[in-house]
Amino acid sequence: MTLTLSLFLSVFLYLQPIFGDEVKMDSIDPVISAIDGGSSGDLAKFFDTSISLNVNGQQGEYSKNQAEIVIKDFFKKNPSLGFKVVFRSETNPSLISYIGDYQSTESSYKVFIRVSQQGENLKIYSLDFVKA
């Protein structure tokens, strides 16, 4: 009985970090869906009050509303054919970076998303669409 309990506890503790990462990765899913669907409104829900934005060379610090307009224009000119995250980096539990591939009818883009974890919410503080 004790051996079985010890084995179960060991397996649980070993797998706990794996399950923890899945929960964190799931929290970015609405952002991924918004980019994949080309929805500036859904994406803007995750913007911090101000955001560093680089869209195809148009760089600057924008308010949440200004950034939504810039992204809306980008999605209009570059309709989505798909988006997927290819890399995730977590140097600090509250700061996470993602790199993704965005495919449009015109070009391919590398997307760099930097988010901060604020309680239960993710806030995008930096977003880059760079032509590949």
Side-chain angles (χ1 to χ4, degrees), residues 34-80:
I35 296 172
D36 188 48
S39 175
S40 59
D42 288 342
L43 184 59
K45 292 176 186 176
F46 296 93
F47 289 169
D48 210 340
T49 53
S50 69
I51 179 172
S52 174
L53 192 60
N54 175 9
V55 178
N56 211 15
Q58 184 180 355
Q59 291 182 233
E61 290 290 322
Y62 295 89
S63 71
K64 184 177 184 172
N65 293 335
Q66 291 170 324
E68 182 179 356
I69 292 167
V70 173
I71 294 295
K72 183 176 185 175
D73 185 55
F74 173 79
F75 285 151
K76 185 178 179 181
K77 292 177 181 173
N78 300 281
S80 176

Side-chain angles (χ1 to χ4, degrees), residues 2-117:
T2 306
L3 181 62
T4 305
L5 183 59
S6 295
L7 182 62
F8 176 77
L9 185 58
S10 297
V11 169
F12 176 77
L13 291 174
Y14 177 75
L15 293 177
Q16 187 176 10
I18 295 170
F19 294 128
D21 284 348
E22 285 180 10
V23 170
K24 289 179 184 174
M25 193 61 165
D26 288 344
S27 63
I28 194 74
D29 285 349
V31 173
I32 294 169
S33 295
I35 296 172
D36 188 48
S39 175
S40 59
D42 288 342
L43 184 59
K45 292 176 186 176
F46 296 93
F47 289 169
D48 210 340
T49 53
S50 69
I51 179 172
S52 174
L53 192 60
N54 175 9
V55 178
N56 211 15
Q58 184 180 355
Q59 291 182 233
E61 290 290 322
Y62 295 89
S63 71
K64 184 177 184 172
N65 293 335
Q66 291 170 324
E68 182 179 356
I69 292 167
V70 173
I71 294 295
K72 183 176 185 175
D73 185 55
F74 173 79
F75 285 151
K76 185 178 179 181
K77 292 177 181 173
N78 300 281
S80 176
L81 293 178
F83 174 72
K84 65 179 177 177
V85 171
V86 295
F87 181 76
R88 176 180 186 265
S89 172
E90 184 176 338
T91 56
N92 176 328
S94 62
L95 300 175
I96 308 165
S97 298
Y98 299 90
I99 299 174
D101 292 323
Y102 179 84
Q103 183 65 45
S104 76
T105 53
E106 299 297 317
S107 298
S108 296
Y109 294 86
K110 283 288 183 198
V111 181
F112 302 88
I113 307 166
R114 291 168 196 87
V115 301
S116 62
Q117 185 79 37

